[in-house]
Amino acid sequence: MFVNKFAKCFALAFLSLSTFSCSSDDSSKEETPAVNGTKYVASYWLADYTQYILDFNSTDQLMTGEISAKGVGIEQEGSCFPVNNTFFALSTGDEGSVSFRLNNTGKLAAGDKLSFESSYAVGYTDDKKMINIGATWDGSSSDYELMIYNPTTVSIDGRKFNDFSVNPANKKILYWPTGAAVSGDKLFVPVYTKDVSDGTNKVLSSDATVRVYKYPSLEYVSTIKDARTTAIGLYYTNTGIVQTESGDVYTFSSNARAGGYPVTGVSSGVLRIRKGDAKFDPGYFFDLQSSTLKGKVLAAYPLGGEKVFISYIPNEVDAVNSVYSFLGTKPIFKSAILDLSAKTILAVTGLPDHGGDEFFGLGSMFVENGKAYKSFVTGEQARVYQIDIATGTAKAGALIKEGLYLPSIGKLTY
């Protein structure tokens, strides 16, 4: 996920101090638009965090040769998300956010713009829209704004402010959002707890915590907690909560120094919220720290069905590395594929130990035809890798030149 230069520098300074379905009836059926062609679109970071948007005719171009932004692509600020046949660059800068589409000749073109004041957590909805949560990082206000972005109209369909203080009597201890997911008529927002009283945004230890809202009204319902594991997700990555094809929602807690958290005595693992429920499933806990992985989950990406791809750090490696290691390129992370329903683990082979996801996450893994594509920094170089979902076998692809990451990959039609 892209973060502007100011936000990145601010965060680093702080650290040193401490796919969907729609229902229809016979009277109102959605017509499937004719498809003339397809292209694949990716955002590309240079070493100085300048971002370009590139397009490809085939995933083969992600797997061969080199990917370079020299003389090609569209320079564009913002966190890029593929959503409902658009490539949305969400920027809080003066230029505004931009929605990209393929025109009728198959050329990537910028469309309408939209202004966003703040964006710290995002997520997809069942009805092909996006949730955006805006907030004040310095804690000057505990009122955060929840928004529903409509990519079809490039507009905000709904917005509502909500008090994210842990206790309304003390506005200096706050919940901070790490992502969002919608299942049916409920919006789930995982949070961690931070203390902003002395200006350092100190992360506090906490149980797994999710704030529940009605969707699409955005009315607050409740805050649910589970003491079997710790805070869900990571700051600014949106990879700690996943809705699977069953409609169940799964959350991922690292309990890791690498994730920026004070380590506690409970295990890193996965919790479940069953479709239709607004509480954690008391009969489900996938303990990853004590599993054959012997590791702590940092991020999860949906692969279809009930499977996810995860990035994790071995227990003993986390203990001796710095806090917030997920921000760096040091190759200390490993990967695996989980079947969340069956609680099975498939090791990913052929992918070397790799660096963290820095500030991007949601949208950085593209899945098609049983294969997943994502960029990784593996020491001296950065490449795209293709992972076979059935076997866990990874294959090295294109070398990324002049930069390190493809923060987002998507597919557009025209």
Side-chain angles (χ1 to χ4, degrees):
M1 179 177 179
F2 179 81
V3 61
N4 63 43
K5 295 175 187 175
F6 173 79
K8 178 179 173 61
C9 292
F10 186 94
L12 291 178
F14 154 64
L15 300 182
S16 67
L17 292 172
S18 44
T19 31
F20 312 100
S21 61
C22 295
S23 60
S24 61
D25 55 32
D26 292 337
S27 61
S28 60
K29 290 184 177 179
E30 286 190 8
E31 293 185 7
T32 303
V35 175
N36 298 312
T38 297
K39 280 191 174 180
Y40 299 86
V41 183
S43 58
Y44 178 103
W45 273 2
L46 296 183
D48 65 356
Y49 296 96
T50 302
Q51 180 178 243
Y52 287 85
I53 299 177
L54 313 175
D55 62 88
F56 308 87
N57 292 320
S58 166
T59 53
D60 291 343
Q61 291 175 265
L62 295 173
M63 293 305 297
T64 57
E66 298 177 348
I67 297 176
S68 171
K70 281 189 175 179
V72 297
I74 301 169
E75 185 174 350
Q76 176 63 49
E77 290 185 348
S79 309
C80 291
F81 305 101
V83 54
N84 198 16
N85 205 33
T86 68
F87 202 70
F88 183 54
L90 198 169
S91 172
T92 58
D94 293 340
E95 294 299 315
S97 302
V98 185
S99 178
F100 288 87
R101 301 173 185 266
L102 296 179
N103 63 21
N104 56 14
T105 64
K107 184 177 180 180
L108 190 65
D112 294 336
K113 291 188 175 184
L114 189 65
S115 176
F116 281 84
E117 215 172 288
S118 173
S119 179
Y120 280 102
V122 297
Y124 294 120
T125 72
D126 289 337
D127 54 351
K128 302 181 181 180
K129 299 176 184 179
M130 286 190 69
I131 298 295
N132 178 68
I133 303 175
T136 55
W137 170 250
D138 62 3
S140 57
S141 173
S142 62
D143 289 330
Y144 303 167
E145 187 175 24
L146 289 78
M147 290 167 270
I148 302 171
Y149 166 69
N150 187 331
T152 302
T153 58
V154 193
S155 62
I156 301 300
D157 278 0
R159 62 201 317 157
K160 191 178 289 286
F161 282 93
N162 184 242
D163 185 0
F164 271 64
S165 60
V166 175
N167 183 338
N170 182 1
K171 300 287 188 176
K172 295 301 182 180
I173 307 297
L174 304 176
Y175 288 126
W176 190 259
T178 63
V182 169
S183 180
D185 62 354
K186 297 177 182 65
L187 163 64
F188 301 96
V189 179
V191 294
Y192 67 82
T193 306
K194 69 175 185 176
D195 182 349
V196 300
S197 58
D198 64 357
T200 62
N201 286 271
K202 182 181 179 181
V203 176
L204 306 178
S205 60
S206 65
D207 297 339
T209 307
V210 171
R211 293 173 69 84
V212 184
Y213 298 83
K214 293 180 182 179
Y215 182 84
S217 71
L218 304 179
E219 293 178 26
Y220 172 74
V221 177
S222 64
T223 297
I224 60 175
K225 299 183 178 184
D226 197 307
R228 289 175 292 176
T229 188
T230 59
I232 298 162
L234 307 178
Y235 168 72
Y236 224 94
T237 63
N238 306 292
T239 52
I241 187 166
V242 168
Q243 183 203 26
T244 61
E245 287 186 3
S246 66
D248 291 345
V249 170
Y250 292 87
T251 64
F252 302 81
S253 301
S254 70
N255 191 32
R257 288 168 52 82
Y261 292 109
V263 176
T264 71
V266 298
S267 286
S268 170
V270 187
L271 296 170
R272 177 170 67 188
I273 302 170
R274 286 191 176 275
K275 181 180 180 180
D277 282 349
K279 63 181 185 299
F280 289 112
D281 180 354
Y284 183 95
F285 180 58
F286 197 170
D287 185 341
L288 298 179
Q289 195 166 329
S290 301
S291 72
T292 55
L293 288 182
K294 302 297 182 188
K296 303 180 177 187
V297 59
L298 271 295
Y301 308 86
L303 295 176
E306 302 303 295
K307 292 184 178 181
V308 293
F309 176 96
I310 65 164
S311 175
Y312 72 94
I313 187 168
N315 298 334
E316 67 278 6
V317 177
D318 185 56
V320 297
N321 275 277
S322 62
V323 177
Y324 286 97
S325 297
F326 86 94
L327 292 175
T329 58
K330 188 177 181 180
I332 55 176
F333 300 94
K334 298 179 180 291
S335 294
I337 293 172
L338 307 181
D339 185 316
L340 297 170
S341 180
K343 289 187 181 178
T344 58
I345 299 170
L346 177 65
V348 172
T349 60
L351 173 62
D353 290 356
H354 49 84
D357 255 7
E358 202 160 302
F359 282 117
F360 68 88
L362 185 70
S364 65
M365 176 165 273
F366 175 70
V367 177
E368 185 177 59
N369 298 327
K371 303 291 193 296
Y373 301 83
K374 181 172 168 58
S375 68
F376 296 90
V377 181
T378 57
E380 296 299 317
Q381 59 183 214
R383 287 187 180 273
V384 176
Y385 279 79
Q386 177 197 79
I387 299 101
D388 187 296
I389 296 171
T391 66
T393 303
K395 177 183 177 183
L399 181 68
I400 299 174
K401 299 288 287 185
E402 300 103 30
L404 296 176
Y405 306 106
L406 300 184
S408 185
I409 308 172
K411 178 181 179 179
L412 304 181
T413 60
Y414 65 97

